[in-house]
Amino acid sequence: SYMLKTPLYHDEAGFVTIDDKRVKQDVAMKPAFGTVNITTIPSGATIMVESDGRTFTTPCEITKLPSGTQTLTATYPGYAISRNTVTVTDGCVIPLNIELDARFAPITINTLAGATVKINGEVIGKGSLAKQLDEGIYDIEVSMVQHRTVTRQIEVVAKQPQTIELNPIPIY
């Protein structure tokens, strides 16, 4: 009798009768793994296989994923983390399409031409501009020579565009 074991394949057992001659026994082991084809919106997300820590960048194909329940985590800057559970079946290819949830919003700041615009103390440009900001609280500041600096605090909520009118005040 024999018992064959190798990672990612089902065990194979059987019996062989051996005479006084040499015997060759071919054994086809059945895979205990499958494949997952992953696409994300947006493309370029990082996928981590929680069971073994392997990482991939989408679009991707994860081969030799052990059969059974697997958890795949998708991450991309500015988007919520997405945990996805898939059931992997022996020898099968499973398509997985993940649409990540944006955690940012477009912000337009309208100000005087030549005014310096800062967000949280960091200069981001001069004059009116548009920027994508992650969710959170921000201090917007505009300043200009011979003008009083003006600051406003805003809250950025995901997927809710905002337009801010903010002009430095002339000094007479």
Side-chain angles (χ1 to χ4, degrees):
S1 72
Y2 65 88
M3 170 65 80
L4 299 175
K5 295 182 178 212
T6 191
L8 295 175
Y9 288 86
H10 292 287
D11 295 346
E12 188 67 37
F15 296 94
V16 176
T17 303
I18 300 175
D19 301 0
D20 53 351
K21 295 183 179 183
R22 188 177 189 154
V23 174
K24 178 181 176 185
Q25 178 74 32
D26 289 326
V27 178
M29 297 185 74
K30 295 180 182 93
F33 61 84
T35 298
V36 179
N37 284 329
I38 305 172
T39 58
T40 58
I41 298 174
S43 185
T46 298
I47 302 294
M48 184 184 76
V49 180
E50 289 192 5
S51 64
D52 62 18
R54 289 185 292 162
T55 59
F56 303 85
T57 301
T58 63
C60 63
E61 178 178 84
I62 302 175
T63 59
K64 294 195 175 179
L65 196 57
S67 296
T69 302
Q70 294 287 338
T71 301
L72 307 171
T73 302
T75 58
Y76 193 86
Y79 290 78
I81 294 170
S82 177
R83 294 185 80 227
N84 302 271
T85 302
V86 295
T87 301
V88 179
T89 307
D90 295 351
C92 291
V93 177
I94 301 163
L96 177 61
N97 302 306
I98 303 168
E99 187 166 344
L100 297 170
D101 187 30
R103 306 314 307 159
F104 59 86
I107 306 300
T108 301
I109 301 167
N110 291 326
T111 191
L112 299 174
T116 300
V117 179
K118 292 182 180 179
I119 297 180
N120 290 344
E122 180 183 335
V123 175
I124 61 163
K126 287 193 177 279
S128 295
L129 51 83
K131 186 153 178 73
Q132 182 173 286
L133 295 175
D134 290 341
E135 286 184 306
I137 305 291
Y138 294 87
D139 291 318
I140 310 295
E141 178 184 299
V142 293
S143 60
M144 191 173 194
V145 174
Q146 297 183 345
H147 289 71
R148 284 192 178 85
T149 299
V150 177
T151 302
R152 182 181 302 160
Q153 190 173 74
I154 64 166
E155 179 178 5
V156 175
V157 178
K159 300 179 225 161
Q160 292 185 11
Q162 292 184 51
T163 299
I164 296 115
E165 303 287 338
L166 196 60
N167 293 307
I169 301 167
I171 300 173
Y172 296 105

